[in-house]
Amino acid sequence: MSRAIQKVEAPDAEHLVRVHWADGSESRYPCVWLRDNCQCPDCFLSSAKARRLLFEDLDVDIVAKEVTLTDRKKISITWPDEHTSEYEAEWLKKRCFSEAARAEMREDLFLPERQYWGSDLQLPEIPFEEIMYNDRSAYQWLCTLKKVGIVLLTGAAARQGELVKLGHRIGFLRLTFYGPTWQVQDKADANNVAYTTGKLCFHTDYPVLQHPPGVQFLHCIKQTAAGGDSEVVDGFHVSNKLKQQNPQAYQILSSTAVDYTDVGVDYCDFAVQCKQRIIDVDYRGQVVRINYNNATRDTVFDIPAEKVRPFYAALKEFDDLLNSREHKFTYKLKPGDIVTFDNWRVLHGRQSFQSGSEVTRHLEGAYADWDVVMSRLRLLRKRVLNRD
């Protein structure tokens, strides 16, 4: 009954339409928003789910001329120019402007819930074949990836090309200067520190790009017997710890623009420059992305000299927290394992390993954007849960 409408009214002085629901609650809808979102064929192209109404034709001071209620399931509004708009009760209820309704819509559209972790991480595992051919398993994979930030897919073939299949499963992979996929192994004259046998400290990939890849895939094709263990840390969890422990250090890292650079030749030649805050926050002050890669942090640092040492002190404290025993989780990939993780949240590293006369460790890597991943998640949810 909560979706049924008891009464509807439109007081002119308020520029609002008030909907009184059968459960006793009330929703207020601004007239300008209702007119802007008329669902009739003249104003809305249903085949594209897109607005046809031109903003230049919208009167921001509009009020309803007449409002009527049909079967408690639909309201009809006649506007001053005699145009008529109809709105279903279900459609209106979802778009209520109350804080509770908006929070519910945010949850439904963006799945903002996060499960923080440290060295106690129970690494989620799902068989690769299941997520490739079972929609429910694929939905579980992407939901867990969004919530926890990391999922291990097991049992893929130990050969190149499996990540291309994974890309097709979600939509498509992200092309970068290192190619649609890239091979992590010891290389002569390496154009990236990852293509060596040395230790890799905790980092996120590609902060040198204006829009760093949101999700990373690493497929183990060959693994060295000694060394080469992988390490991960929850950057959001550690950022929150830093904010509690040293608010000034947090403020410095979330406000200072750090220069990044990457120059070389791979898929094509490139010379990339970018400025990023190491801790990126949104308008609510919530951490939304970590941009930290010590290898590609530029020698250029575009801040006043007196602010340099405080920045280094703040970054040192953050880095110490990342590397603390309570926060980092260590594991070793086996041939056929594909680790999938949130590159905006999870920092990853690698222990060193011995070089040899032939390649002893080989991972294939690829990226995807969160827009692509979330698109597939929503489509799978609709299919699996039979939701609109």
Side-chain angles (χ1 to χ4, degrees):
M1 286 294 290
S2 63
R3 300 293 198 239
I5 300 173
Q6 186 72 36
K7 183 178 72 171
V8 62
E9 56 185 344
D12 286 354
E14 297 183 9
H15 290 80
L16 292 169
V17 170
R18 292 179 177 269
V19 174
H20 301 269
W21 302 96
D23 63 2
S25 63
E26 177 187 311
S27 297
R28 300 181 305 152
Y29 301 95
C31 289
V32 63
W33 176 84
L34 287 165
R35 182 63 191 91
D36 183 42
N37 290 284
C38 176
Q39 300 290 290
C40 82
D42 290 334
C43 298
F44 190 77
L45 183 61
S46 60
S47 60
K49 301 290 189 291
R51 184 181 291 104
R52 301 180 74 158
L53 180 66
L54 303 179
F55 198 83
E56 63 198 62
D57 294 332
L58 183 66
D59 177 8
V60 298
D61 296 317
I62 197 168
V63 293
K65 180 180 178 181
E66 183 181 3
V67 182
T68 56
L69 176 61
T70 306
D71 298 329
R72 304 178 72 187
K73 295 179 180 178
K74 182 190 297 184
I75 69 170
S76 177
I77 300 177
T78 302
W79 302 104
D81 63 358
E82 302 303 326
H83 185 86
T84 301
S85 304
E86 291 186 335
Y87 307 91
E88 300 285 344
E90 183 81 18
W91 187 93
L92 286 169
K93 190 73 171 179
K94 281 185 178 180
R95 291 157 180 81
C96 175
F97 285 88
S98 71
E99 176 54 42
R102 288 187 287 118
E104 185 177 341
M105 183 60 80
R106 284 196 301 271
E107 170 66 30
D108 188 56
L109 292 175
F110 300 108
L111 279 74
E113 183 185 358
R114 296 165 182 155
Q115 180 179 312
Y116 298 119
W117 47 268
S119 59
D120 58 346
L121 171 68
Q122 301 294 311
L123 183 58
E125 296 186 14
I126 304 176
F128 176 72
E129 291 296 312
E130 281 192 20
I131 68 104
M132 288 298 295
Y133 300 108
N134 183 289
D135 284 349
R136 188 168 291 277
S137 293
Y139 175 62
Q140 178 191 354
W141 165 46
L142 297 183
C143 282
T144 306
L145 182 62
K146 187 69 171 66
K147 182 177 180 179
V148 181
I150 184 169
V151 179
L152 185 69
L153 305 180
T154 59
R159 59 171 181 260
Q160 288 180 220
E162 298 295 272
L163 295 188
V164 174
K165 296 178 186 176
L166 195 60
H168 289 153
R169 181 62 168 124
I170 61 169
F172 50 89
L173 297 173
R174 166 84 175 266
L175 177 64
T176 71
F177 291 109
Y178 292 92
T181 67
W182 23 273
Q183 310 310 312
V184 183
Q185 53 192 5
D186 188 22
K187 300 176 184 179
D189 299 321
N191 64 345
N192 191 293
V193 294
Y195 302 160
T196 68
T197 62
K199 171 182 169 65
L200 296 182
C201 57
F202 281 124
H203 65 283
T204 59
D205 272 23
Y206 250 144
V208 73
L209 297 181
Q210 292 284 348
H211 189 75
V215 176
Q216 184 168 169
F217 308 134
L218 287 172
H219 175 208
C220 182
I221 296 172
K222 191 173 185 178
Q223 182 61 282
T224 181
D229 291 29
S230 299
E231 296 180 323
V232 289
V233 61
D234 185 345
F236 289 176
H237 181 47
V238 171
S239 294
N240 290 335
K241 284 285 190 74
L242 179 66
K243 188 176 184 179
Q244 295 169 7
Q245 180 176 303
N246 190 333
Q248 184 179 8
Y250 179 90
Q251 194 277 330
I252 289 172
L253 296 184
S254 61
S255 62
T256 304
V258 177
D259 293 87
Y260 284 100
T261 184
D262 198 14
V263 179
V265 180
D266 202 295
Y267 186 72
C268 66
D269 52 349
F270 53 88
V272 194
Q273 294 287 148
C274 189
K275 292 178 181 291
Q276 300 278 15
R277 295 172 299 176
I278 285 179
I279 300 176
D280 243 341
V281 298
D282 64 12
Y283 67 97
R284 296 172 298 166
Q286 295 286 326
V287 181
V288 292
R289 193 170 75 203
I290 306 297
N291 304 294
Y292 181 36
N293 191 322
N294 201 56
T296 58
R297 189 165 49 80
D298 203 351
T299 54
V300 172
F301 198 10
D302 185 14
I303 67 172
E306 63 271 17
K307 294 187 175 182
V308 171
R309 191 172 176 276
F311 168 81
Y312 274 87
L315 183 55
K316 177 64 175 172
E317 188 159 350
F318 182 57
D319 194 80
D320 286 347
L321 282 173
L322 292 173
N323 284 281
S324 67
R325 185 173 296 179
E326 67 174 303
H327 292 141
K328 66 180 178 179
F329 176 81
T330 303
Y331 65 103
K332 190 159 186 173
L333 290 168
K334 303 185 300 292
D337 286 347
I338 300 175
V339 62
T340 65
F341 59 93
D342 182 347
N343 185 54
W344 290 0
R345 170 182 173 182
V346 176
L347 295 90
H348 63 290
R350 177 194 71 207
Q351 296 176 3
S352 63
F353 59 97
Q354 291 293 317
S355 60
S357 56
E358 60 180 38
V359 173
T360 58
R361 187 177 188 272
H362 178 193
L363 306 184
E364 183 170 37
Y367 301 117
D369 282 323
W370 265 118
D371 292 323
V372 176
V373 174
M374 288 300 295
S375 169
R376 182 56 54 196
L377 190 159
R378 295 182 189 107
L379 292 168
L380 286 167
R381 177 176 58 186
K382 183 176 181 179
R383 197 175 304 159
V384 169
L385 305 182
N386 295 313
R387 294 176 59 176
D388 294 332

